[in-house]
Amino acid sequence: MSVIIILLGASLLVAIFFLAAFIWSVRNGQFEDNFSPAHRMLFETKPNESTCSTGNACTNSNCKSRICQHN
Amino acid sequence: MSLEKFSYDNRTVKWFAYACIGWGLIGMLAGLWAALALVLPDLNLGYAPTTFGRLRPVHTNAVIFAFVGNGIFMGVYYSLQRLCKTRMFSDLLSKIHFWGWQAIIAGGAITLLMGCTTGKEYAELEWPFDIAITLIWVAFGANMLGTILRRRETHLYVAIWFYIGTWVAIAMLHIVNSFEMPVSFLKSYSWYAGVQDALVQWWYGHNAVAFFLTTPYLGLMYYFVPKAANRPVYSYRWSIIHFWALIFIYIWAGPHHLLYTALPEWAQSLGTVFSIMLIAPSWGGMLNGLLTLRGAWDRVREDAILKFFVVALTCYGMATFEGPMLSLKNVNAISHYTDWTIAHVHVGALGWNGFLTFGILYWMLPRLFTTELYSRKWANAHFWLGTLGIIFYVIPLYWAAFTQSMMWKQFTPEGQLKFQFLETVNTVVPMYALRALGGLLYISGVVLMIVNLAKTVRRGSFVANEPAETPPLPKVIHTHGKSHWHNWIERRPIQLTVFSLIVVGIGGALEMVPTFLIRSNVPTITSVKPYTPLELHGRDVYIREGCYTCHSQMIRPFRDEVARYGEYSKAGEFVYDHPFQWGSKRTGPDLARLGNKYPDSWHYNHMLDPTSMSPGSIMPQYPWLFDDKIDKGKTPAMINAMRKLGVPYPEGYEKQANADMQKQAEEIASKLKKDKLEVKSDKEIVALIAYLQRLGTDIKSNTVAEKK
């Protein structure tokens, strides 16, 4: 059972390390840009990009506009 | 800014999508067959490959590794290219990955039906496949990392972290749990024994759920839900916390599969504590997905794809609330060994994995074929069929589980057990029939989807190489204001991979190292001896026929279990069990103390026709055991392999083993003859009887565990 002491100690150290890293990252303002990554993934990169009537990018190059987002 | 022109590889995505659908249907049909076999045991047709004990591993492996596995690759290959704005690193690696994986699945299904199994749940495939899985997994990892390194987008979107974490963790889990000693081309024994084998196996088994059924699908969720809703993910900040917290905590929770067993208490407590903590990141992830739909709820009413996603996320939330609850020891005392576990895993499998996959297929395939989905009405019908299927699957099983568990634990006022085991089984069989109906509804939805998608594909035109263009990755990345460490890591895939490995490695190491190093964790019992050669052969038959899928060999220290089965199981009893056979479900009674309970003739008749000894039994018949001969040629290799694993057979015993086996077999045959049962001593049934009569007889109840 002595092993549980070692385990508790190790777990606590690991937990404290992660907590410290987390607090430090928040204080460093690591979470400043929570906006652009989430939005950037929504944009398609299409050659000669044209848009559908709904304002979304087409997903096929000839833009038959059959797969536009239906809102 | 010059634009680079390139194209996305859609062909591999299409292949994986087709494989996912095809294998998914096969895997679910195997599940339906297995479910019906619990109601109508004669469905095994008196034929080994179609018996429950072999069908169940086929079902579990097919739905996990073939349906969900191909679903992961389909989604990863589609989203990774678009998130990194580059084609997959190597078309050759994509091909190798695809065909290699399908070959493993096909070969795995055939060998499982043949009865080649390691006897460890969800890791049943034998050693050649384990090596093949490792190689293909490395090919997938190289292809993925190569793509990430050649990306034209500085930032790694959160979905990609989940893909990387998945790859790292599955590699670690699979390699550690697959340590085995080959005996022949398709037979091996687990490297670990007894308690250690159980700990490693459930560290793997639980984390197969975590890192094969959960993290990769969360990655897909973070890509496809925002895409389908055309809304950014609710909180990017949450997704960062979600990722690190989830992969760190999940790894520790394995021991919750072994509560009240002979596993050391500290490991059980550790598993419980971390399982409770898992609620936080899991629910954070669920809410992040659901809240992504804010402002799009009006579309959920119309759009089957979003409906699928909403129910998938809700089922994810239900399953991840229930998991921690089941990890509480007092709840687990009731739920363990019952159908509750089966219901729990199917909320996740049918709801979370199934529905997310269907939603992705409905969204993605029309895009690959530049057309519209053939019928939105059918997609909506599929949604309702699937939802009804889930309800009809899980509710009867919850009912069955609770009923059966309560019946097992009831005593009469005189202090006798109130119900025979068989009575409890016959009480819940109607629920099994309802569960099969639920499965049938769910599968009919899948068939409807296949027709719908086939018609979609037929009228579309496939774009194998989808053109795209984007600026190249700048050499120097300009950051505005201060640069922060997590931004740093979000741009560095290699470091992210290494850090993920450290994070998932910690939990595994801290649980396993003490169990292997501290001898006091497995007290030795002097009266426990290795199996005789005949019993070893019998044990191989037991594993081959998948007896562990319905029978446990682990008596928990509860009044009712001790009264029903005998002295509770001790860690020291399993030191020669490569692999362990504790089981996780009692469709039939526990066998840990079966030895000497019944005469040999009882076992003989029971294996020939279980209902002759236990009227109303739902166990299938095993007629082939009475025809097939024991493979004597393998005996020396078996003894040698076991000796290498540390079982103390004397040097040179492999030369004498067959003679000893002959002697023991003839004793059993002559005992059977006294009961007017004629059987040749070289038949497999004799070996199986020898093994069953050995179970649990090494310790008497007054034996004290001594520490060496």
Side-chain angles (χ1 to χ4, degrees):
Chain A
M1 281 310 290
S2 58
V3 77
I4 202 163
I5 308 294
I6 301 166
L7 279 170
L8 280 174
S11 321
L12 272 174
L13 279 178
V14 168
I16 289 166
F17 169 76
F18 270 86
L19 187 69
F22 174 71
I23 291 169
W24 177 78
S25 68
V26 172
R27 287 209 170 160
N28 259 308
Q30 174 231 126
F31 299 113
E32 265 177 12
D33 182 11
N34 295 317
F35 183 82
S36 53
H39 285 73
R40 203 183 305 121
M41 60 87 64
L42 292 173
F43 301 129
E44 303 276 348
T45 46
K46 289 293 148 210
N48 53 37
E49 200 154 330
S50 53
T51 53
C52 309
S53 54
T54 55
N56 298 314
C58 301
T59 50
N60 53 341
S61 50
N62 51 7
C63 198
K64 293 256 168 64
S65 72
R66 285 182 303 181
I67 336 172
C68 300
Q69 292 286 352
H70 295 272
N71 287 324
Chain B
M1 183 69 84
S2 64
L3 289 178
E4 288 186 352
K5 289 192 181 300
F6 59 97
S7 66
Y8 296 131
D9 168 21
N10 282 348
R11 185 169 277 123
T12 313
V13 178
K14 181 180 76 171
W15 286 348
F16 275 124
Y18 289 174
C20 164
I21 297 167
W23 288 120
L25 184 65
I26 291 170
M28 290 175 205
L29 286 170
L32 181 62
W33 193 340
L36 286 167
L38 290 178
V39 185
L40 306 161
D42 287 344
L43 273 184
N44 80 333
L45 317 171
Y47 183 52
T50 46
T51 300
F52 182 89
R54 294 199 196 178
L55 271 182
R56 181 185 176 263
V58 168
H59 163 63
T60 52
N61 282 279
V63 291
I64 296 171
F65 300 110
F67 173 57
V68 174
N70 281 307
I72 293 168
F73 303 140
M74 154 187 97
V76 168
Y77 274 66
Y78 183 89
S79 60
L80 188 67
Q81 296 184 89
R82 284 154 181 82
L83 288 170
C84 292
K85 296 201 170 61
T86 182
R87 193 183 175 83
M88 283 308 286
F89 172 64
S90 154
D91 284 1
L92 177 65
L93 275 177
S94 301
K95 274 201 178 70
I96 291 171
H97 176 200
F98 175 81
W99 290 111
W101 194 255
Q102 308 320 315
I104 289 166
I105 290 164
I110 291 164
T111 52
L112 283 175
L113 290 170
M114 282 162 50
C116 309
T117 169
T118 61
K120 292 172 79 167
E121 283 182 75
Y122 322 128
E124 277 104 346
L125 295 183
E126 267 297 352
W127 66 272
F129 290 103
D130 285 338
I131 293 168
I133 289 168
T134 311
L135 294 175
I136 297 299
W137 196 252
V138 168
F140 166 51
N143 208 6
M144 183 161 69
L145 213 56
T147 309
I148 293 169
L149 289 173
R150 293 200 326 181
R151 70 195 185 281
R152 295 185 178 83
E153 168 66 64
T154 48
H155 187 276
L156 294 175
Y157 183 66
V158 60
I160 301 175
W161 313 352
F162 277 99
Y163 302 157
I164 293 174
T166 296
W167 187 84
V168 166
I170 290 293
M172 173 182 83
L173 293 162
H174 172 71
I175 290 169
V176 173
N177 192 46
S178 295
F179 270 80
E180 49 216 2
M181 178 65 72
V183 177
S184 62
F185 172 54
L186 282 171
K187 180 69 201 160
S188 67
Y189 293 129
S190 173
W191 197 270
Y192 318 99
V195 173
Q196 278 126 352
D197 196 34
L199 181 64
V200 175
Q201 157 60 27
W202 283 112
W203 171 79
Y204 162 91
H206 171 75
N207 288 304
V209 173
F211 290 95
F212 209 85
L213 301 175
T214 307
T215 53
Y217 265 56
L218 284 168
L220 301 186
M221 187 275 284
Y222 274 122
Y223 180 83
F224 287 100
V225 170
K227 277 291 195 190
N230 204 23
R231 293 266 186 291
V233 64
Y234 172 69
S235 167
Y236 201 70
R237 177 183 303 192
W238 269 13
S239 71
I240 297 171
I241 303 170
H242 180 199
F243 172 74
W244 290 107
L246 195 83
I247 66 167
F248 176 66
I249 297 175
Y250 236 128
I251 281 283
W252 298 75
H256 71 212
H257 289 258
L258 301 165
L259 298 178
Y260 287 113
T261 65
L263 186 77
E265 194 92 18
W266 62 263
Q268 294 185 34
S269 305
L270 206 60
T272 297
V273 169
F274 276 87
S275 302
I276 304 297
M277 290 200 285
L278 261 177
I279 291 182
S282 303
W283 274 53
M286 169 191 70
L287 291 170
N288 211 359
L290 287 176
L291 290 170
T292 297
L293 297 169
R294 73 206 180 288
W297 286 101
D298 57 311
R299 279 174 42 209
V300 174
R301 192 172 43 216
E302 309 295 329
D303 189 350
I305 294 168
L306 291 182
K307 277 195 194 115
F308 274 115
F309 286 163
V310 167
V311 172
L313 280 159
T314 310
C315 284
Y316 173 61
M318 282 166 55
T320 53
F321 172 74
E322 187 183 32
M325 292 303 109
L326 290 174
S327 305
L328 292 167
K329 285 184 87 171
N330 50 355
V331 179
N332 198 270
I334 298 167
S335 75
H336 193 42
Y337 294 136
T338 72
D339 288 292
W340 199 332
T341 317
I342 321 299
H344 167 64
V345 79
H346 280 86
V347 170
L350 301 173
W352 164 242
N353 295 106
F355 271 33
L356 203 74
T357 309
F358 304 148
I360 292 170
L361 284 166
Y362 282 130
W363 184 87
M364 194 183 74
L365 270 182
R367 279 172 172 69
L368 296 182
F369 284 86
T370 56
T371 180
E372 291 267 2
L373 185 62
Y374 176 77
S375 167
R376 294 145 144 278
K377 214 179 230 148
W378 286 6
N380 269 307
H382 173 198
F383 168 79
W384 287 111
L385 275 172
T387 306
L388 271 178
I390 296 173
I391 290 169
F392 268 99
Y393 191 106
V394 297
I395 292 178
L397 278 197
Y398 284 131
W399 195 291
F402 206 77
T403 304
Q404 201 176 17
S405 190
M406 291 295 117
M407 287 175 86
W408 286 345
K409 289 182 181 300
Q410 264 190 58
F411 283 88
T412 61
E414 293 78 32
Q416 301 294 309
L417 285 165
K418 191 166 177 185
F419 297 104
Q420 293 285 323
F421 191 91
L422 200 50
E423 288 177 85
T424 71
V425 174
N426 291 329
T427 307
V428 300
V429 162
M431 299 297 163
Y432 288 166
L434 273 176
R435 176 261 296 270
L437 173 71
L440 183 66
L441 285 170
Y442 193 88
I443 289 173
S444 50
V446 173
V447 171
L448 187 61
M449 175 184 80
I450 292 173
V451 176
N452 198 355
L453 290 177
K455 285 188 177 289
T456 306
V457 164
R458 191 164 305 167
R459 72 177 200 177
S461 58
F462 181 61
V463 182
N465 299 299
E466 194 180 307
E469 55 187 26
T470 195
L473 192 65
K475 290 271 182 296
V476 182
I477 297 160
H478 297 288
T479 49
H480 304 287
K482 289 181 296 185
S483 177
H484 311 296
W485 77 267
H486 206 283
N487 278 343
W488 175 87
I489 202 170
E490 282 167 30
R491 288 199 297 266
R492 285 168 178 74
I494 303 282
Q495 286 88 333
L496 186 57
T497 308
V498 173
F499 281 12
S500 309
L501 180 61
I502 294 169
V503 168
V504 296
I506 291 168
L510 282 184
E511 264 174 10
M512 281 196 268
V513 169
T515 315
F516 281 85
L517 295 184
I518 315 279
R519 304 209 55 175
S520 66
N521 272 319
V522 184
T524 41
I525 302 171
T526 40
S527 60
V528 174
K529 296 280 181 284
Y531 294 103
T532 66
L534 186 66
E535 288 158 2
L536 266 189
H537 274 285
R539 193 165 201 273
D540 281 359
V541 171
Y542 182 96
I543 291 169
R544 186 189 72 203
E545 300 308 340
C547 305
Y548 65 90
T549 60
C550 291
H551 293 280
S552 56
Q553 288 187 26
M554 170 53 61
I555 302 167
R556 299 179 296 171
F558 296 137
R559 181 186 166 202
D560 68 290
E561 296 207 6
V562 172
R564 192 182 297 279
Y565 304 118
E567 179 67 11
Y568 69 90
S569 301
K570 316 280 190 294
E573 290 184 82
F574 305 99
V575 288
Y576 304 129
D577 280 23
H578 298 268
F580 82 116
Q581 287 291 290
W582 293 359
S584 46
K585 168 78 174 69
R586 283 178 186 156
T587 304
D590 187 279
L591 305 181
R593 299 263 176 259
L594 184 67
N596 298 338
K597 210 169 177 176
Y598 305 106
D600 290 357
S601 57
W602 186 95
H603 286 294
Y604 183 95
N605 289 321
H606 185 249
M607 294 308 295
L608 196 56
D609 177 11
T611 54
S612 68
M613 295 290 115
S614 316
S617 167
I618 57 168
M619 177 164 148
Q621 303 175 2
Y622 289 85
W624 59 92
L625 300 181
F626 299 78
D627 302 326
D628 298 349
K629 284 186 179 161
I630 300 167
D631 186 357
K632 283 201 170 96
K634 260 176 65 181
T635 315
M638 286 158 64
I639 298 288
N640 283 332
M642 285 292 185
R643 191 188 301 112
K644 276 187 206 144
L645 295 172
V647 181
Y649 291 110
E651 281 304 321
Y653 182 69
E654 64 273 8
K655 297 187 185 68
Q656 197 203 317
N658 269 330
D660 282 8
M661 183 161 85
Q662 183 71 18
K663 215 169 80 188
Q664 196 186 353
E666 272 163 14
E667 278 171 27
I668 291 175
S670 67
K671 268 194 226 165
L672 288 170
K673 206 179 167 104
K674 275 184 198 144
D675 288 327
K676 301 192 175 52
L677 295 168
E678 285 289 341
V679 65
K680 285 212 177 66
S681 63
D682 60 353
K683 299 289 191 226
E684 281 184 335
I685 183 69
V686 176
L688 183 64
I689 290 174
Y691 172 65
L692 295 176
Q693 293 292 34
R694 173 69 186 273
L695 286 175
T697 52
D698 277 5
I699 68 162
K700 302 279 181 292
S701 54
N702 58 3
T703 312
V704 181
E706 15 175 330
K707 291 183 185 180
K708 275 188 180 166

